[in-house]
Amino acid sequence: MAEPLLRLRGVSKSFGGLAAVQDVSLDVPAGSISALIGPNGAGKTTLFALVSGFIRPDRGTVAFDGQDITGRPPYMNARRGMTRTFQIVQPFAAQTVRENIAVGAHLHCADRHTALAQADAVARRLGLAPQLDKPAGDLTVAGRKRLELARALATQPRLLLLDEVLAGLNPQEVAEMIPVVRDIAAGGVTVLMIEHVMQAVMHLAAHVWVLAQGQLIAEGSASQVTQDPRVIEAYLGHGAAQRLGRLAAAAREAAA
């Protein structure tokens, strides 16, 4: 079996006695689209921060492309090919869309003219070409989400960590973004996404991990984990799995 592009072993982090992430281990294969889901406050974004180097774990290891990067600063991880997006999109509002994307391109390109040319190419790929000369602050929510993705893609990542890139979008906008993410993966970028929009998870993710109260409670395909009683309980509360089971049984009897 090939070495996973990203490997976590026993990663844990506490804040003031609160265990935000507890003993998380997972392998992300190169070339895959995977998802990390779970209720609010489950520790998903903290785990991304631990992986990308914004926070150092108390215990455990993070390996990227076979090399231990535990606690390595984000800029070093970005140079090696790991880039993340953020839940709250904060573009340089007064700069144009082109200039914002070029910020990402400058990671590997010192020349401004070349960085701007790369920004144009990334914008065309993500459907932002008509917006290139517009101030980033004038974009819609959907436009800002695409810009966040474009800035990350301009760094030429091998692993892209997407933190709720679909949050705040309406159903049509979500449907339009799904092929964009799929195209990024088809271009050779491994994608690990935190996502609450299950429509997107079902369409995109080959493998899903479920985090609740800082612990992994289930993994498998999207259809498998959404039927797991532990996952149902984590989202809907104690006893929810049994209640849903009784409702399903009653519906089957009524239909018989």
Side-chain angles (χ1 to χ4, degrees):
M1 182 177 294
E3 183 81 9
L5 185 62
L6 177 69
R7 169 168 283 175
L8 276 59
R9 288 294 177 267
V11 172
S12 300
K13 182 67 181 180
S14 296
F15 298 99
L18 174 65
V21 173
Q22 304 179 59
D23 196 31
V24 170
S25 298
L26 56 83
D27 291 343
V28 178
S32 65
I33 303 179
S34 306
L36 181 66
I37 69 171
N40 289 328
K44 302 182 298 296
T45 295
T46 299
L47 186 61
F48 263 24
L50 292 166
V51 169
S52 54
F54 285 86
I55 302 173
R56 187 178 184 89
D58 297 329
R59 296 183 305 280
T61 59
V62 178
F64 178 57
D65 195 21
Q67 183 176 109
D68 189 341
I69 62 164
T70 309
R72 181 175 290 175
Y75 74 90
M76 292 182 66
N77 293 328
R79 285 177 179 168
R80 283 186 56 81
M82 179 194 298
T83 304
R84 66 165 293 188
T85 66
F86 293 85
Q87 284 184 35
I88 300 173
V89 180
Q90 295 182 313
F92 299 104
Q95 292 186 324
T96 66
V97 169
R98 178 184 284 106
E99 290 167 334
N100 268 265
I101 301 172
V103 170
H106 273 300
L107 179 67
H108 297 292
C109 178
D111 178 69
R112 176 174 171 79
H113 177 77
T114 304
L116 290 171
Q118 290 182 4
D120 283 22
V122 172
R124 288 194 297 272
R125 187 173 176 186
L126 294 188
L128 284 171
Q131 317 276 7
L132 276 167
D133 295 314
K134 178 184 290 189
D138 292 348
L139 293 176
T140 63
V141 172
R144 289 188 180 203
K145 290 287 186 176
R146 287 190 183 234
L147 176 57
E148 178 79 351
L149 189 53
R151 286 196 301 187
L153 198 59
T155 67
Q156 302 175 33
R158 298 171 59 206
L159 173 63
L160 188 55
L161 305 174
L162 301 181
D163 195 348
E164 295 194 42
V165 74
L166 304 178
L169 303 186
N170 63 41
Q172 179 179 340
E173 291 165 342
V174 169
E176 291 170 351
M177 281 289 280
I178 286 173
V180 172
V181 176
R182 190 178 287 127
D183 178 69
I184 289 171
V189 179
T190 302
V191 176
L192 176 60
M193 57 194 304
I194 292 174
E195 198 50 71
H196 283 292
V197 181
M198 288 307 297
Q199 172 195 354
V201 174
M202 299 290 284
H203 280 86
L204 289 170
H207 195 84
V208 179
W209 291 274
V210 185
L211 199 65
Q213 297 181 332
Q215 296 178 304
L216 287 180
I217 61 170
E219 67 173 288
S221 68
S223 60
Q224 287 172 333
V225 299
T226 53
Q227 297 175 49
D228 190 309
R230 294 167 297 179
V231 177
I232 296 171
E233 299 269 324
Y235 274 97
L236 301 179
H238 181 69
Q242 288 187 340
R243 291 194 298 273
L244 289 174
R246 287 196 295 269
L247 288 171
R252 287 193 296 269
E253 288 181 7

